[in-house]
């Protein structure tokens, strides 16, 4: 049984809740390992169509576990590359939503940005305060933050270490939607259920195509999109989805075999 996460399923939605309250969900090796293992399990489960990663009302994750990192040396981290263990979420094919309330700082902010979508409560606080510790972001903070909010604001956040509230995060395109804290998780489940009700094959390929927009040129991205779009005409879901539209009924997409 995992020690630092709580796992739930709501229909076709899998929920992973970080549960290390005494440390505001600081990302230690054990917690990161448990998150990764459960992500892999949900990804392999045909009954799950969307995954939510969330924390508590006080914190999604307040950062990496500084006590655990403090004594590490350069040769040790070079060979261990502990940050690579955080990146299991990047290998998940199904859509992953970060549902953030309270603090998402440092590694917590970076973990949220590794997800496919961030929604947040109006209590959320985002930031990359590593500069205050004499280091810099190391799990994508200077890269994903810049792609989300632009160079000037990323420089501002990473060089001053200040926090960004939910309203600024939405204005800056870091998050897709903001909800009152009391309803945020309910709304996250609604969004995830809507995604999970769609064709899993189409969802996976849509995610793959959008990610290509950040990793390739426009010409390459368009070519990827076109190839993936055309491939869906070889699926039963395309036949069912278009037949349902013509027949004015709700489509019934089959689970992947």
């Amino acid at each position: 049984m995992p020690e630092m996460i709580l796992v739930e399923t709501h229909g076709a939605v899998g929920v992973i809740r970080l549960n290390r309250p005494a440390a505001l969900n600081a990302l230690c090796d054990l917690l990161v390992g448990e998150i990764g293992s459960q992500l892999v399990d949900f990804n392999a489960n045909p009954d799950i169509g969307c995954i939510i990663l969330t924390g508590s009302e006080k914190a999604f994750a307040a950062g990496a576990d500084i006590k655990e990192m403090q004594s590490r040396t350069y040769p040790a981290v070079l060979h261990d590359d502990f940050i690579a263990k955080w990146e299991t979420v990047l290998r998940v094919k199904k859509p992953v939503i970060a549902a953030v309330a309270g603090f998402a700082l440092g590694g917590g902010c970076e973990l949220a940005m590794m997800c496919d979508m961030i929604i947040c409560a109006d209590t959320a606080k985002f930031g990359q305060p590593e500069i205050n510790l004499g280091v810099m972001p190391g799990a994508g903070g200077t890269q994903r933050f810049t792609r989300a909010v632009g160079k000037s604001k990323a420089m501002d956040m990473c060089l001053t270490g200040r926090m960004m509230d939910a309203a600024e995060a939405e204005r800056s395109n870091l998050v897709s939607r903001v909800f009152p804290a009391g309803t945020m998780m309910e709304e996250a489940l609604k969004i995830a259920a809507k995604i999970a009700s769609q064709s899993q094959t189409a969802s996976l390929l849509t995610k793959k195509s959008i990610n290509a927009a950040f990793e390739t040129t426009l010409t390459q991205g368009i070519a990827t999109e076109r190839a993936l779009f055309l491939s869906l005409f070889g699926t039963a879901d395309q036949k069912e989805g278009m037949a349902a539209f013509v027949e004015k009924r709700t489509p019934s997409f089959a689970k992947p075999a």
Side-chain angles (χ1 to χ4, degrees):
M1 291 288 292
E3 298 177 30
M4 294 189 176
I5 60 171
L6 300 175
V7 179
E8 309 164 14
T9 56
H10 298 259
V13 177
V15 178
I16 303 171
R17 186 181 298 275
L18 283 63
N19 186 39
R20 197 186 176 204
L24 292 178
N25 294 331
L27 297 167
C28 64
D29 287 346
L30 178 59
L31 175 54
V32 169
E34 290 184 353
I35 293 168
S37 294
Q38 189 58 51
L39 283 167
V40 170
D41 287 350
F42 276 150
N43 192 54
N45 185 344
D47 293 330
I48 298 298
C50 188
I51 302 166
I52 295 175
L53 189 61
T54 193
S56 67
E57 293 180 0
K58 290 185 178 180
F60 175 76
D65 190 322
I66 305 305
K67 292 180 180 178
E68 195 173 72
M69 287 199 303
Q70 181 183 6
S71 62
R72 285 174 166 154
T73 65
Y74 175 62
V77 295
L78 179 64
H79 289 281
D80 179 52
D81 192 13
F82 68 97
I83 294 296
K85 300 179 181 72
W86 300 22
E87 296 177 331
T88 303
V89 65
L90 301 178
R91 297 189 290 275
V92 172
K93 293 181 179 180
K94 296 175 181 178
V96 182
I97 299 172
V100 176
F103 297 113
L105 305 177
C109 186
E110 290 170 313
L111 180 61
M113 290 191 292
M114 289 181 196
C115 298
D116 301 307
M117 182 193 312
I118 305 175
I119 68 164
C120 73
D122 52 12
T123 58
K125 299 283 188 182
F126 299 89
Q128 298 292 159
E130 290 90 345
I131 196 77
N132 297 323
L133 302 173
V135 291
M136 60 176 278
T142 65
Q143 302 302 303
R144 292 189 180 91
F145 219 117
T146 304
R147 283 164 170 75
V149 307
K151 176 184 175 181
S152 183
K153 194 169 286 285
M155 286 284 191
D156 175 8
M157 299 298 295
C158 292
L159 291 176
T160 68
R162 74 175 179 88
M163 289 188 285
M164 173 188 287
D165 65 17
E168 184 179 0
E170 186 178 32
R171 287 198 310 271
S172 303
N173 294 322
L174 182 64
V175 306
S176 61
R177 307 194 208 181
V178 179
F179 297 103
T183 63
M184 188 271 293
M185 197 61 199
E186 177 185 349
E187 296 295 337
L189 287 167
K190 288 179 184 177
I191 295 168
K194 174 63 175 175
I195 293 170
S197 73
Q198 311 287 13
S199 159
Q200 282 198 33
T201 303
S203 291
L204 268 57
L205 296 187
T206 299
K207 170 175 171 171
K208 183 175 182 178
S209 187
I210 291 173
N211 283 333
F214 287 87
E215 298 162 1
T216 64
T217 66
L218 177 60
T219 300
Q220 291 170 319
I222 292 292
T224 297
E225 178 190 75
R226 189 69 44 79
L228 295 175
F229 167 73
L230 296 176
S231 75
L232 287 168
F233 282 79
T235 67
D237 284 348
Q238 176 265 334
K239 302 297 184 288
E240 167 61 13
M242 293 191 177
F245 178 83
V246 171
E247 296 164 12
K248 296 181 172 57
R249 60 176 174 81
T250 301
S252 178
F253 297 117
K255 295 175 185 176

